[in-house]
Amino acid sequence: MNPATPSLTTPPQSTLDQWRKNFLDLNSQKLASAREQLSPRQQAVLDALPVLLHCNGSRLPGYVAPDTPCGIVGFTPTLEHHSAVHQFARGVQIPRDPGPRVIEGIYLMGSLGSIAQSRNSDLDVWLCHDELLTDVQIEALQEKCTRIEKWADGLGTEVHFFLMNLRDFRDGQSRSADGEDCGSSQHLLLLDEFYRSALWVAGKMPRWWLIPEEYEYRADSYWAELTAQHKIDVSDWLDVGSLPTIPAGEFVGAGLWQLNKGLSNPYKSLLKILLNREYASAYPTIRPLAWDFRKQVQQGDADLLNTDPYLLMLKRLESHLNDDEAELRELIRRAFYFKTGVCLTQLTGNQRQQRRVQALESQINEWGWTYTHLDELDRRQSWPARKVMNERNALVTQMLNGYRALAGFSEQHAESLHIKEQDLRVLGNQLFAAFRAEPGKIIDINPHIRSDMEEEKLTLNLREGIWQLIPGNWKPGDESGVLMQTPSLIEALLFARRNGLLTSHSQVALYPTHNPVTQYELRSLLQDIMDIPMPTKKHCNFDQDQQPVRWHLFVNPGVNPQQSLSRRGMQKISNRDDALGFSSARENLVQSIELLTISNWGEWQVSYYAGDATVHDALLQILNHRSQVTTKGWPEWHIHCHCQVRSVAIQKRLEELLNDLMTHLSLVKPAPYLLQTGETFHLLEYRRKQVVSHHAESLAALIQLLARPRPRFRRWQLDQHALPSSPLRLILEQGQGDEWHVWYWRQKEKIFLYVMDQCGSLHYQEQRGSDIRSTLVPVLRVLRVLNQRWATDQDQAPWSIRLSELIMDPETLAFSAEGRRIPEEAHQNAAIHVSAVTAPDTPMIFHVQDTCLSQKESGNHLIQDVRNQVLQARANNHQQPIWLSDIVIRDNHHLTRHLQLRQRIEHLLNQRSKVQNAAATIGRA
């Protein structure tokens, strides 16, 4: 509210003196109220604190060195102070003059002196020091405070000092009213909280109490006028900052901060978020609660109740609720009640005579709460887990609603956010980790609603493939006790573990009795899960992007991997012991994997994989974090398998495989990796910082995959158990690149040919017959022609062509290769020249000797005409197969593509009964 004119009229001296007296009187009452909740030992520690900070004495707690900064401005120890110190240091002499006084003010923060104070409340102390202290002096003062904290802790009193440079504070670097550093997320909101909750202990008093509301927006000018008129002694007062309004840019940062504080103190955070939302709704005419507090003080009618910061907050919030917000109103009242820490149905002795208890009872009576309702609230520490989770959901919903309202307000009104980029990132990451719900993510259901969630008994009920987690005693058919349900057994157990329900003392029952999970397996899984360390704030790094720090792979939980084999009596009918290709049926014994990912933000995420692609899918999730390996190495990982059969072999096989994959992919430029699981093949390639996978459901599909043109040669890396008894394993391992290599293998009445080009693409074909020379020579002739032509086109030397024969050992079924000379006929031209020429969207053209045949003239009879032309050119041997001498695909230098098309055309040319309709088939080649 701006005055009509810029002139300043200061209050008379008597008014200023009265305001000062009113502040001191209320402060004394609040200190006395705070002391009521402290034990005698805690009271003595509180009384001794100013003296310990005021002077250095070798026999005093906190002593560091004679030159350690100390001395409180305007402070002179009283008899009470001396008495308190002598309780801990008998006979010690307190110096009259501590020397230079560098401590300008001592304030108690938080809930002390309010209705929300409890015996567990800490002594959070703001120590405002001289702004000119050097870093070395501040470090020495901090050490003194740290030693005092340790001394107090030994006396059962928790004290925390927060050193404050008020120049930095006024510039926006803030601490919350309970002392914790909150970076740049809020400033004036915290100043509002400071003025309505801080207790002055020693040193200078905040000058804010002498500033009228109408001059708040120009407090410096007003203070300068008071100083000029000699109405105040500036040495008595400290400029903590003025509070003209709350800027729109603070609300998002404050909302983020309170959401994250809500993880450990949700009731208090809910009240603060809702208060901030109420402030925002009044923008731009925001009236901070501290103004109401100061008004009561300056008017002289302030008392402990009408200035209590929590009662002020409650009154403001309830006054702005609509009639249709009954659930929110009730939640606010519960939050207020729980924040007080008082259990009205459990009071003993003279506790009902305490001021704050009487004030709380008055408030409860006003709300009309019954004894039964109060008793239910007071038994919060024994609430069933489901009720705790419902309460958590209600709190989270309202806190998120409040934050969304603040974010929407800031979008509309704030030109910029009053929060640093780093603080925004850290708080945002904490918020994401805590509140974002995703499938498989283990949520924390107890943000300190109950202090202990341990359950003596837990039941896991398997119903139609879904595991139900039920705390406590349970009767079959009772759905009311189900806490969570999931198809993942491991997710249910991890949920119980993370939320404190499952401990080493818990009994876990399985239902129904005939269960796929054996008691041995359950005990083993429980031990594995109990060994997983619980997340702590110290081990979380929210300053970095989310990334895994540990994996746990639980293999086949509750699954008998040989069940299908057992039914067929095929548990073991060969010597194949590979867990991913077991027995002659090549059964994959890994039927399911439940993968726990633990992130650097403390998140637990369970991914459930089942079916034939289980191993591939689970490993691919892990391997796609390869990009972080160069800087940090692979995260820690563990494999757990306790299924009924072959669990040790399965675990060992997966450990070897994962080790092999991680070692291979850690290379700067890893080659493609071939993995076989059962009859399925997976080709893993690292491209553009991502592991890309290609599937082949059979050996034939794998051969098609290997025929794809490749941009450059990369030697294949094969899993040690991939392609057993197949020549492909030897071929892929022996491929050299920068050459054309032809392998052949004879078996009975078939000849198998493999051709690898300079980049590693592989062409395969098989042909009936036993004459190696008549099979090899046509292929080698085509290779020679293509090689020479492409070398000329690209102005380079032709590739060398190598020939090898594959030989299989009849006992081990392993293959070896022996080099062979290329037949002389391969260097000679064919007796009858037959070539095919094609290009995209162009009909194919054939040349037989000097005759040209095209689809334009022959139509659908093109293949028949080519065949007839070849047969006419032959003097005899009409039964001999027709081979192409050359093939041209315009603008294409991929050898496998040429050989595939050659094979297709030759197949059609040699199918005597089907050549009539073959032209249309190859016309699209």
Side-chain angles (χ1 to χ4, degrees):
M1 55 182 72
N2 296 348
T5 63
S7 61
L8 284 168
T9 303
T10 61
Q13 185 67 55
S14 58
T15 300
L16 293 172
D17 293 342
Q18 187 62 50
W19 288 353
R20 181 179 186 276
K21 181 178 182 301
N22 293 346
F23 164 73
L24 291 174
D25 287 347
L26 180 61
N27 190 79
S28 297
Q29 294 177 47
K30 294 177 72 174
L31 278 173
S33 178
R35 291 171 63 85
E36 286 181 5
Q37 298 299 312
L38 301 177
S39 67
R41 182 62 62 90
Q42 289 173 321
Q43 291 179 19
V45 169
L46 176 59
D47 291 339
L49 285 181
V51 180
L52 302 183
L53 294 169
H54 185 61
C55 55
N56 287 322
S58 59
R59 295 179 56 195
L60 290 176
Y63 177 77
V64 178
D67 59 347
T68 302
C70 63
I72 303 174
V73 174
F75 174 71
T76 301
T78 64
L79 291 177
E80 289 78 8
H81 292 124
H82 282 273
S83 176
V85 171
H86 288 152
Q87 289 187 43
F88 311 112
R90 294 184 180 278
V92 68
Q93 295 296 318
I94 300 176
R96 290 181 177 272
D97 185 7
R101 303 191 179 204
V102 300
I103 300 175
E104 299 196 322
I106 302 293
Y107 305 92
L108 288 175
M109 307 302 299
S111 59
L112 290 179
S114 74
I115 197 172
Q117 180 185 348
S118 69
R119 286 194 174 272
N120 297 325
S121 296
D122 303 337
L123 299 182
D124 292 326
V125 182
W126 267 20
L127 187 157
C128 301
H129 59 76
D130 190 324
E131 299 169 4
L132 299 179
L133 286 184
T134 66
D135 291 343
V136 173
Q137 290 175 311
I138 293 174
E139 186 176 343
L141 180 56
Q142 179 64 67
E143 176 61 24
K144 179 181 180 71
C145 292
T146 300
R147 295 188 180 188
I148 295 174
E149 288 175 350
K150 292 179 179 179
W151 163 77
D153 186 61
L155 297 172
T157 305
E158 197 165 345
V159 178
H160 305 284
F161 286 100
F162 302 92
L163 273 57
M164 299 292 298
N165 183 325
L166 289 183
R167 177 183 56 201
D168 293 341
F169 181 78
R170 291 191 296 269
D171 288 342
Q173 183 62 31
S174 306
R175 290 187 184 274
S176 65
D178 56 3
E180 191 170 350
D181 189 352
C182 61
S184 63
S185 65
Q186 47 193 325
H187 175 61
L188 291 180
L189 281 168
L190 293 176
L191 195 57
D192 169 48
E193 190 173 347
F194 171 86
Y195 286 135
R196 54 188 162 88
S197 63
L199 299 181
W200 173 71
V201 176
K204 298 180 181 181
M205 296 168 286
R207 76 178 195 184
W208 187 78
W209 296 100
L210 297 188
I211 299 176
E213 187 177 304
E214 61 268 22
Y215 291 142
E216 186 69 49
Y217 75 103
R218 46 179 181 161
D220 288 343
S221 299
Y222 168 81
W223 195 253
E225 188 67 23
L226 285 182
T227 304
Q229 296 177 12
H230 304 288
K231 290 186 175 181
I232 48 101
D233 184 350
V234 293
S235 63
D236 291 341
W237 303 95
L238 193 62
D239 180 14
V240 182
S242 57
L243 187 63
T245 187
I246 308 294
E250 280 199 14
F251 287 103
V252 164
L256 279 172
W257 173 254
Q258 289 304 331
L259 272 177
N260 284 282
K261 290 291 287 181
L263 302 179
S264 57
N265 199 339
Y267 295 110
K268 180 179 178 180
S269 291
L270 173 67
L271 296 175
K272 291 188 176 182
I273 287 176
L274 294 178
L275 178 63
N276 291 344
R277 186 177 73 174
E278 190 282 321
Y279 280 174
S281 68
Y283 184 84
T285 56
I286 299 173
R287 181 176 182 82
L289 277 179
W291 285 15
D292 295 342
F293 193 136
R294 181 176 56 185
K295 184 178 180 181
Q296 299 275 25
V297 171
Q298 291 180 348
Q299 289 179 346
D301 52 7
D303 58 38
L304 291 177
L305 290 181
N306 64 19
T307 60
D308 186 281
Y310 282 91
L311 288 172
L312 283 172
M313 191 188 315
L314 176 67
K315 182 179 179 181
R316 177 73 69 90
L317 293 179
E318 289 205 306
S319 67
H320 287 80
L321 289 177
N322 300 320
D323 293 339
D324 60 352
E325 295 180 290
E327 288 187 9
L328 177 56
R329 186 187 305 275
E330 191 63 21
L331 184 60
I332 289 172
R333 290 174 175 177
R334 285 204 303 276
F336 172 80
Y337 181 71
F338 289 142
K339 185 63 188 78
T340 66
V342 177
C343 295
L344 289 177
T345 63
Q346 300 172 10
L347 297 178
T348 59
N350 62 353
Q351 289 180 331
R352 289 196 180 276
Q353 307 305 315
Q354 295 178 5
R355 176 201 60 84
R356 70 191 196 104
V357 170
Q358 293 176 350
L360 184 58
E361 285 183 325
S362 174
Q363 191 67 63
I364 296 306
N365 291 334
E366 184 179 323
W367 294 340
W369 279 5
T370 64
Y371 181 88
T372 302
H373 181 60
L374 273 176
D375 183 54
E376 175 68 17
L377 297 183
D378 289 347
R379 287 188 292 107
R380 177 167 55 122
Q381 294 305 321
S382 59
W383 278 1
R386 189 163 181 172
K387 184 176 179 66
V388 172
M389 185 166 68
N390 291 339
E391 181 79 347
R392 176 261 183 197
N393 292 340
L395 287 164
V396 168
T397 297
Q398 292 301 336
M399 285 194 291
L400 289 177
N401 287 344
Y403 172 73
R404 293 187 189 103
L406 294 175
F409 161 82
S410 296
E411 238 180 76
Q412 182 178 358
H413 295 287
E415 296 181 1
S416 63
L417 300 182
H418 293 193
I419 181 171
K420 294 178 182 176
E421 187 67 30
Q422 180 183 3
D423 293 337
L424 183 62
R425 180 176 64 254
V426 169
L427 292 173
N429 289 346
Q430 289 176 335
L431 174 62
F432 184 97
F435 296 118
R436 182 174 177 82
E438 296 177 304
K441 182 174 178 179
I442 309 298
I443 64 169
D444 297 316
I445 66 169
N446 179 36
H448 293 259
I449 296 171
R450 261 178 64 178
S451 58
D452 180 12
M453 293 286 289
E454 180 180 354
E455 291 287 344
E456 183 178 341
K457 185 174 183 180
L458 293 166
T459 300
L460 287 168
N461 178 41
L462 182 60
R463 179 179 178 184
E464 298 178 357
I466 300 297
W467 288 100
Q468 296 178 327
L469 176 65
I470 306 160
N473 294 316
W474 176 73
K475 294 181 180 179
D478 181 10
E479 295 291 321
S480 62
V482 176
L483 181 60
M484 65 91 69
Q485 48 190 7
T486 169
S488 166
L489 169 64
I490 300 304
E491 183 181 350
L493 291 174
L494 287 170
F495 181 94
R497 162 69 170 145
R498 177 160 179 138
N499 284 289
L501 287 82
L502 175 65
T503 70
S504 57
H505 305 292
S506 301
Q507 297 179 7
V508 181
L510 291 172
Y511 192 87
T513 307
H514 299 292
N515 201 293
V517 180
T518 65
Q519 287 297 325
Y520 166 77
E521 183 178 5
L522 177 62
R523 287 194 300 271
S524 301
L525 288 174
L526 289 174
Q527 185 59 56
D528 290 340
I529 286 173
M530 291 304 299
D531 288 342
I532 297 174
M534 294 290 285
T536 61
K537 193 172 183 180
K538 180 177 67 174
H539 295 103
C540 294
N541 187 349
F542 294 104
D543 196 36
Q544 295 182 343
D545 292 337
Q546 181 192 46
Q547 53 192 352
V549 294
R550 189 183 302 111
W551 288 298
H552 290 267
L553 293 87
F554 295 87
V555 184
N556 292 340
V559 174
N560 179 358
Q562 286 193 277
Q563 188 171 8
S564 61
L565 289 177
S566 300
R567 290 171 181 165
R568 291 178 283 164
M570 298 173 61
Q571 298 96 316
K572 181 69 175 176
I573 57 176
S574 83
N575 291 324
R576 283 187 181 151
D577 285 327
D578 176 23
L580 303 184
F582 184 75
S583 82
S584 60
R586 289 209 58 84
E587 292 278 349
N588 181 1
L589 298 185
V590 178
Q591 297 297 304
S592 71
I593 291 179
E594 301 183 28
L595 172 60
L596 168 64
T597 301
I598 300 177
S599 78
N600 58 326
W601 296 350
E603 299 167 290
W604 288 8
Q605 181 91 30
V606 178
S607 303
Y608 178 77
Y609 298 101
D612 293 337
T614 292
V615 173
H616 164 268
D617 293 347
L619 294 186
L620 193 63
Q621 178 181 334
I622 291 174
L623 297 176
N624 262 315
H625 292 280
R626 189 265 187 197
S627 57
Q628 74 182 67
V629 172
T630 53
T631 56
K632 297 188 175 180
W634 288 99
E636 179 184 343
W637 56 273
H638 304 272
I639 295 178
H640 314 274
C641 184
H642 307 288
C643 58
Q644 298 177 33
V645 293
R646 300 195 175 273
S647 58
V648 175
I650 292 171
Q651 179 170 329
K652 182 180 179 182
R653 173 70 168 100
L654 289 179
E655 287 173 345
E656 291 174 348
L657 175 59
L658 190 51
N659 262 320
D660 190 34
L661 278 166
M662 286 181 167
T663 301
H664 177 67
L665 286 173
S666 298
L667 300 174
V668 177
K669 292 182 178 180
Y673 191 101
L674 184 64
L675 169 66
Q676 182 178 3
T677 57
E679 297 292 348
T680 303
F681 299 89
H682 310 279
L683 179 60
L684 306 176
E685 297 183 273
Y686 188 66
R687 297 179 183 173
R688 299 177 182 178
K689 297 185 178 182
Q690 186 175 11
V691 178
V692 179
S693 176
H694 305 278
H695 300 270
E697 299 297 330
S698 63
L699 185 60
L702 173 64
I703 289 173
Q704 291 181 356
L705 195 62
L706 297 176
R708 297 175 308 160
R710 302 177 62 80
R712 66 189 65 84
F713 179 80
R714 305 296 296 278
R715 183 178 299 280
W716 296 83
Q717 178 73 24
L718 275 66
D719 172 48
Q720 60 178 324
H721 293 284
L723 294 168
S725 308
S726 170
L728 273 178
R729 182 173 188 92
L730 179 69
I731 290 169
L732 294 177
E733 289 178 336
Q734 280 197 349
Q736 297 294 325
D738 293 334
E739 66 176 10
W740 290 359
H741 198 154
V742 180
W743 291 269
Y744 67 91
W745 173 39
R746 290 180 284 194
Q747 188 183 43
K748 296 182 180 178
E749 295 300 316
K750 279 189 177 182
I751 298 174
F752 304 90
L753 282 178
Y754 303 86
V755 182
M756 181 178 288
D757 70 8
Q758 75 279 4
C759 293
S761 295
L762 186 68
H763 171 70
Y764 164 80
Q765 69 182 73
E766 60 181 71
Q767 189 169 319
R768 289 194 172 276
S770 57
D771 187 350
I772 292 294
R773 186 173 296 271
S774 64
T775 300
L776 284 176
V777 168
V779 174
L780 292 170
R781 281 174 174 165
V782 170
L783 292 180
R784 175 178 58 81
V785 172
L786 292 175
N787 197 13
Q788 291 175 348
R789 183 170 64 247
W790 291 351
T792 301
D793 292 346
Q794 298 173 344
D795 192 22
Q796 65 181 27
W799 302 109
S800 62
I801 300 177
R802 190 147 62 106
L803 180 65
S804 298
E805 181 179 3
L806 296 167
I807 302 171
M808 183 176 70
D809 187 313
E811 293 185 2
T812 65
L813 304 182
F815 280 85
S816 60
E818 294 185 4
R820 296 288 184 256
R821 292 182 61 184
I822 295 177
E824 287 298 326
E825 298 96 311
H827 298 290
Q828 303 169 2
N829 293 331
I832 300 175
H833 178 78
V834 183
S835 66
V837 181
T838 186
D841 303 321
T842 302
M844 185 171 290
I845 298 174
F846 285 88
H847 295 274
V848 181
Q849 299 292 63
D850 296 327
T851 302
C852 178
L853 299 105
S854 69
Q855 195 169 4
K856 184 177 182 181
E857 291 82 13
S858 299
N860 291 338
H861 299 281
L862 177 61
I863 295 298
Q864 179 67 57
D865 292 348
V866 173
R867 176 179 174 80
N868 292 337
Q869 191 70 31
V870 173
L871 295 178
Q872 289 176 15
R874 287 180 178 173
N876 48 35
N877 292 331
H878 286 189
Q879 302 303 317
Q880 181 181 346
I882 299 173
W883 308 110
L884 290 182
S885 313
D886 190 8
I887 184 167
V888 178
I889 304 175
R890 303 288 188 192
D891 301 324
N892 187 305
H893 287 171
H894 293 302
L895 180 59
T896 53
R897 290 289 182 255
H898 283 72
L899 295 180
Q900 286 172 342
L901 182 57
R902 169 188 175 273
Q903 182 182 4
R904 189 175 171 191
I905 293 171
E906 289 177 346
H907 176 72
L908 294 172
L909 286 171
N910 292 297
Q911 275 189 309
R912 300 172 189 170
S913 61
K914 299 181 180 180
V915 296
Q916 291 285 4
N917 299 316
T921 303
I922 65 169
R924 299 185 296 272

